DNA sequence: AAAAATATCCAAAGCGCTTTGGGACGATTC
DNA sequence: GAATCGTCCCAAAGCGCTTTGGATATTTTT
């Protein structure tokens, strides 16, 4: 069933039917009702390709996900973020188009997306420090919104980010208040902008208390379970091991917990662990009492909001670039406690 | 830059340029080379909407992800599965379109996808027992492939599945061989087809050894960390607690480990835990020695393969429905061991 | 009652591509 | 030398929609 057939059934022109369906005023209400009824009855939906071609809008938004051929890491927050974004898209009649791309092929993919008219805009994930992509996408003239920020980018652009710096400052202060002085930072890869900001927050808090940072205690890598485990095993074997761990993700924190367990250390008593909780749906941080003391911010909500901002930008390309900084919330759980007496007195 | 402009620059007709680009034989090789050069030079990519309209193919495949408004659960394997599928799509020039949908609206979404010509086929996730979707999609005439199977469906359809039954039979036998008799099953929701099959495999092994199943030891729910934790806490508090846990997902197994830890039980010594390892990229089951003894099968590889099968089906709609059953592999880790002596002698 | 304004509808062009049905030309065959 | 056959190219139709620029009734205004 297409527009032509539908209009023939109704004894109307395609013009009138199209206008009736799209809410234009040049059609009598009685006629519009008749058209809508018929459309429902015949299960008519306009062909999206034809519509796109005619309007010049694709009503789709692209997410380009980098996938290295070597480590094949998929960001664990990706699923929840896109689920949030997708809800917004659905509400506004947009489709979500996802492409994975090998490192280095990114520009080619963005260029194609633009040239082929596949999408009306793109959502940029996981920006690195001084990310090259943004100025490239900007030059292409493709509307875009960034999940995170790019340091050293003076040009305005549309972004939404968690205040990673203040979150990690708060977390570090919390641990300092408990008496911890040797606090390990298990961070994400520090070429990533968010990881860099987190380290800054951690250092802010240390220097405010005149605690000299120990480079031995600061590790950074892909935030897997195994990285958390390996880092903790290594640090706990030091002559003067850390008494607290600040871990950039729940997944890695779980690895830290495993290492603690193997060392016979009880969380919250012998060892304190804090983490950043993205509120992943399959990994909720406890129902009543949180498993981990954590800085908490829903990545799904971030997806919903940022999608909204991008849609606004597409609708209003000349408008100002919206930005939004979310504050993470401290949630105290069972994984932290005061420095053990043995260490304190040592 | 569109086809018209490109052909004008070349002094050729649109027909010839189109044919040159699409590899048709009616064009001289010298001309084709000239056209390809120009296309590269001007960064020309054909508008995908126009192409779709002309060919009737959308070169896109839909993934419809159910999202309940109440629990908002995103399947943790989703990201890895789609990453795999997406690689295949990219290789074949397909786009991946993802829609989330609230419970109950599924038929509407599939119908729209078909009527609007947004996709050439769909990939069906997480089929339930006797899933209604398949016959509906079949009736719509939309090519589809299923990740998993649907019991009690006599009609042929394209699917790829892990042999869940044999995997859980093997796992249970492994635990029985270690002397365990009270083996808990922490399963996914048993309306889901895969969970039902897993339970069957578990029961197969028990009955082959004449171990009567204890309904108290069989729990099923959404496979979150918390569900694993809560289940284990509950079961370990029984008068005669299980000595082994067979857990349907790594995430829940991590929850079980947390419960074991809180009860002061060492994995592999005081308590055995086995799980199913989908080889998620952010949750690799150990580098050298696996954390958990597990049945192992890569869900990313599943995505790659199934996408390939769906593309075949779209290219050859009259052809036979391909099916594929993957066997999971037993990987022995540190989380299992013989029944503790205290229990054995009790 | 005539003129102007408004409401309601339609024919046709156009979005950028593919594909059908030739046409022109040189090479081959009889 | 005419008929046949490939080779190489083109004009135009068509995919299903939106939208422009009227056309025709119907009201409203003067």
């Amino acid at each position: 069933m297409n527009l032509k057939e539908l209009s023939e059934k109704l004894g109307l022109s395609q013009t009138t039917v199209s206008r009736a369906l799209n809410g234009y005023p040049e059609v009598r209400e009685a006629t519009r009702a008749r058209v809508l009824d018929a459309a429902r009855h015949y299960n008519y939906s306009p062909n999206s390709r034809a519509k796109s071609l005619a309007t010049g809008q694709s009503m789709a938004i692209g997410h380009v996900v980098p996938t290295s051929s070597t480590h094949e890491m998929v960001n664990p927050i990706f699923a929840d973020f896109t689920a949030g974004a997708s809800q917004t898209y659905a509400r506004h009649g947009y489709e979500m188009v996802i492409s994975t791309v090998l490192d280095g092929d990114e520009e080619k993919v963005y260029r194609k997306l633009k040239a082929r008219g596949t999408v009306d805009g793109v959502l940029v994930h996981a920006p690195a420090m001084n990310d090259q992509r943004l100025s490239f996408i900007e030059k292409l003239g493709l509307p875009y919104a960034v999940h995170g920020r790019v340091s050293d980018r003076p040009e305005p652009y549309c972004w939404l980010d968690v205040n990673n710096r203040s979150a990690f400052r708060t977390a570090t202060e919390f641990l300092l208040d408990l008496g911890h002085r040797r606090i390990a930072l298990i961070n994400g890869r520090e070429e990533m902008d968010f990881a860099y900001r987190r380290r800054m927050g951690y250092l802010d808090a240390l220097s405010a208390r005149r605690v000299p940072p120990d480079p031995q205690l600061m590790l950074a890598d892909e935030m897997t379970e195994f990285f958390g485990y390996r880092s903790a095993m290594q640090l706990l074997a030091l002559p003067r091991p850390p008494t607290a761990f600040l871990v950039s993700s729940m997944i890695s924190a779980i690895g830290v917990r495993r290492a603690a367990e193997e060392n016979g250390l009880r969380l919250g008593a012998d060892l304190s662990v804090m983490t950043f909780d993205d509120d992943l749906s399959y990994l909720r941080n406890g129902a009543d009492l949180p498993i981990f003391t954590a800085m908490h911010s829903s990545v799904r909500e971030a997806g919903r909001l940022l999608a909204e901002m991008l849609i606004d930008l597409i609708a209003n390309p000349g408008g100002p670039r919206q930005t939004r900084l979310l504050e993470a919330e401290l949630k105290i759980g069972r994984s932290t406690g005061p420095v053990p007496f043995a260490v304190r007195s040592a």
Side-chain angles (χ1 to χ4, degrees), chain A residues 77-91:
Chain A
I77 69 166
F78 177 72
D80 270 71
F81 182 84
T82 52
S86 167
Q87 285 177 4
T88 300
Y89 297 154
R91 204 144 26 82

Side-chain angles (χ1 to χ4, degrees), chain A residues 29-328:
Chain A
E29 279 313 315
T31 314
R32 188 193 305 281
R34 212 160 60 90
V35 171
L36 288 174
D37 273 357
R40 214 180 341 254
H41 178 252
Y42 292 111
N43 259 322
Y44 169 78
S45 289
N47 182 295
S48 61
R49 308 283 150 169
K51 190 164 183 164
S52 294
L53 188 56
T55 59
Q57 289 199 306
S58 67
M59 294 308 283
I61 286 171
H63 290 223
V64 178
V65 184
T67 319
S68 157
S69 52
T70 53
H71 63 315
E72 290 212 335
M73 170 76 183
V74 178
N75 198 319
I77 69 166
F78 177 72
D80 270 71
F81 182 84
T82 52
S86 167
Q87 285 177 4
T88 300
Y89 297 154
R91 204 144 26 82
H92 291 267
Y94 277 86
E95 305 286 347
M96 178 165 78
V97 175
I98 296 194
S99 341
T100 53
V101 52
L102 294 177
D103 309 332
D105 285 356
E106 301 218 303
E107 295 205 352
K108 206 164 61 184
V109 170
Y110 284 115
R111 197 196 301 283
K112 271 214 175 134
L113 245 33
K114 169 71 179 178
R116 307 178 57 173
T118 316
V119 300
D120 294 333
V122 291
L123 220 148
V124 179
H125 294 272
M129 297 284 298
N130 211 335
D131 202 300
Q132 315 248 14
R133 285 176 293 177
L134 299 200
S135 49
F136 181 77
I137 299 170
E138 182 86 48
K139 237 185 308 174
L140 276 180
L142 204 53
Y144 65 100
V146 186
H147 183 208
R149 274 173 291 175
V150 173
S151 299
D152 304 325
R153 183 176 166 80
E155 299 85 357
Y157 60 100
C158 175
W159 56 262
L160 175 144
D161 200 0
V162 171
N163 195 340
N164 283 299
R165 188 160 187 165
S166 79
F168 272 58
R169 192 188 309 125
T170 303
T172 307
E173 281 166 1
F174 180 80
L175 291 170
L176 288 166
D177 286 344
L178 287 169
H180 296 279
R181 288 299 173 269
R182 289 188 66 71
I183 302 172
L185 176 68
I186 310 298
N187 205 0
R189 291 168 49 211
E190 289 178 356
E191 313 91 82
M192 296 289 114
D193 204 87
F194 78 94
Y196 171 75
R197 289 178 195 271
R198 287 176 177 190
R199 180 154 59 95
M200 288 301 110
Y202 164 82
L203 293 175
D204 284 351
L206 290 184
S207 83
R209 299 282 181 96
R210 314 224 175 284
V211 176
D214 181 347
Q216 258 193 322
L217 300 186
M218 293 159 58
L219 300 177
D221 203 340
E222 209 81 78
M223 297 184 296
T224 61
E225 199 270 355
F226 185 67
F227 170 57
Y229 172 77
R230 175 164 49 84
S231 305
M233 287 306 274
Q234 176 186 326
L235 293 178
L236 289 174
L238 288 177
R240 283 179 59 219
T243 60
F245 283 78
L246 180 50
V247 189
S248 242
S249 93
M250 281 275 278
I251 304 268
S252 298
I254 286 171
V256 171
R257 193 177 65 207
R258 179 157 66 97
E261 183 185 349
E262 276 190 23
N263 280 274
L265 301 171
R266 287 160 308 149
L267 254 49
D270 309 316
L271 190 68
S272 287
V273 175
M274 274 189 82
T275 185
F276 193 94
D277 172 20
D278 290 293
D279 201 22
L280 303 182
S281 57
Y282 50 88
L283 200 64
R284 287 276 146 79
N285 188 7
D288 308 322
L289 190 59
I291 309 170
F292 291 107
T293 299
M295 300 307 295
H296 175 274
S297 177
S298 164
V299 72
R300 182 190 290 254
E301 181 64 13
R304 270 193 285 259
L305 293 171
L306 188 56
E308 206 83 52
M309 289 159 65
L310 179 54
I311 289 173
D312 279 359
L313 181 63
I314 290 170
N316 188 10
R321 308 299 189 224
Q322 291 182 60
T323 64
R324 187 145 179 187
L325 189 59
L326 304 174
E327 290 296 335

